[in-house]
Amino acid sequence: MAEHMEQTSVTTTSESECSTKPKETPGSVPVEEMTSKDYYFDSYGHFGIHEEMLKDEVRTLTYRNSMIYNKHLFRGKVVLDVGCGTGILSMFAAKAGAAKVIGIECSSIIEYGQKIVAENNYSNVVTLVKGKVEEVELPDGIDKVDIIIITFFNIEFTKCHKRTGFSTAPEAPYTHWKQTVFYFDQLDLTVKKGEEIQGSVNVKPNKSNKRDLDFTIEVDFKGELSEMKETMQYKMR
Ligand SMILES: C[S@@+](CC[C@H](N)C(=O)[O-])C[C@H]1O[C@@H](n2cnc3c(N)ncnc32)[C@H](O)[C@@H]1O
């Protein structure tokens, strides 16, 4: 059909879109030419991280259901997908009946997103724009949108007819965010109802690889049956 033959438009607003420094920064190297060094600076440019997100069914199906089960909210609307990656959520919005979907993505993965959108015949509705959401201009003279899609770790779509949401709490079903339980070194900490554990959790990106995390957990507890005053270090790699 003619409407499906239109090419997905990927608008690049400037070379240093995602960056403050040229070359070694997100989105500045074409995806087909990226090497390990480029992936270090543009980890979202690698399809692997998007594959991991897409395969996380708790996450991806919840986002999908929030749109597909709410066609009445999406029908005929203009939708902005912030950080669209491979364009998956833009396509869900189009499938849910949006009139126009604009996906913005600063990483080179958008080049695959363009192909994926075209292969799935959504080019007539979905336009992917390369750049930082805080810097790009919306295409086609659009100056406002009806719906903004952005991804979060814990989510609940409260306007749905049935509960649609997920959690990354440790007891919730596993997601690619690798929810984690930190075990204390001290095994026998008995806390009675009403007693309070004081402390702090400090988390920072690892110096050598910003995707790894270093944690410091401080616990200061003095209860009736046990006590603990400790500082513990954890690494997430
Ligand atoms: C968690 S991923 C989600 C990708 C996609 N929406 C999905 O659900 O599969 C977040 C994406 O936002 C992009 N991003 C982060 N900051 C951005 C910004 N300021 N402007 C545009 N894109 C951004 C990242 O490059 C990454 O691809």
Side-chain angles (χ1 to χ4, degrees):
M1 283 166 61
E3 68 197 58
H4 286 160
M5 290 175 65
E6 207 180 301
Q7 279 299 304
T8 309
S9 88
V10 174
T11 312
T12 308
T13 51
S14 86
E15 267 301 295
S16 57
E17 212 53 81
C18 259
S19 58
T20 44
K21 292 183 290 173
K23 258 290 180 209
E24 289 183 338
T25 46
S28 58
V29 179
V31 74
E32 304 283 359
E33 293 170 27
M34 286 176 76
T35 64
S36 309
K37 182 167 163 255
D38 302 310
Y39 289 129
Y40 179 82
F41 291 100
D42 181 9
S43 55
Y44 276 115
H46 197 287
F47 68 86
I49 189 167
H50 292 274
E51 182 181 8
E52 193 181 24
M53 284 189 282
L54 295 174
K55 282 182 173 169
D56 181 342
E57 291 191 9
V58 172
R59 183 201 89 106
T60 306
L61 291 182
T62 302
Y63 291 144
R64 179 184 180 278
N65 292 346
S66 73
M67 295 185 247
I68 299 304
Y69 293 162
N70 288 288
K71 291 188 171 145
H72 61 291
L73 298 176
F74 281 81
R75 199 168 297 124
K77 296 288 169 54
V78 178
V79 177
L80 178 67
D81 178 6
V82 177
C84 63
T86 54
I88 183 75
L89 305 184
S90 294
M91 291 187 288
F92 289 158
K95 197 179 175 72
K100 181 82 208 159
V101 186
I102 303 142
I104 299 178
E105 170 61 52
C106 61
S107 154
S108 300
I109 194 69
I110 196 170
E111 294 168 33
Y112 288 130
Q114 173 195 25
K115 290 179 184 157
I116 292 167
V117 167
E119 289 280 322
N120 284 278
N121 294 330
Y122 282 117
S123 303
N124 56 324
V125 175
V126 178
T127 300
L128 304 186
V129 179
K130 186 174 185 183
K132 276 188 175 178
V133 69
E134 46 289 32
E135 294 172 2
V136 297
E137 276 188 23
L138 298 181
D140 306 330
I142 295 170
D143 60 358
K144 63 176 184 167
V145 299
D146 302 305
I147 296 173
I148 297 175
I149 300 172
I150 190 160
T151 56
F152 287 104
F153 300 155
N154 279 19
I155 196 118
E156 183 111 39
F157 298 95
T158 54
K159 301 289 180 201
C160 297
H161 300 302
K162 63 175 195 169
R163 184 191 176 270
T164 305
F166 64 78
S167 163
T168 52
E171 73 280 4
Y174 183 78
T175 71
H176 80 286
W177 284 294
K178 302 179 176 61
Q179 49 260 58
T180 298
V181 175
F182 294 96
Y183 291 98
F184 294 162
D185 296 337
Q186 184 179 327
L187 293 175
D188 57 345
L189 188 66
T190 310
V191 183
K192 285 181 74 177
K193 192 174 176 185
E195 291 182 340
E196 270 183 29
I197 301 177
Q198 302 285 329
S200 65
V201 178
N202 183 293
V203 55
K204 57 181 184 207
N206 179 264
K207 276 191 190 138
S208 318
N209 182 353
K210 65 182 167 59
R211 296 200 69 82
D212 290 345
L213 298 173
D214 295 338
F215 297 83
T216 305
I217 299 184
E218 283 182 346
V219 177
D220 189 354
F221 174 69
K222 202 170 170 68
E224 193 185 316
L225 300 175
S226 64
E227 37 188 86
M228 177 178 179
K229 189 171 171 61
E230 251 186 82
T231 301
M232 292 153 286
Q233 311 284 347
Y234 300 85
K235 300 171 183 172
M236 188 180 276
R237 300 292 184 255

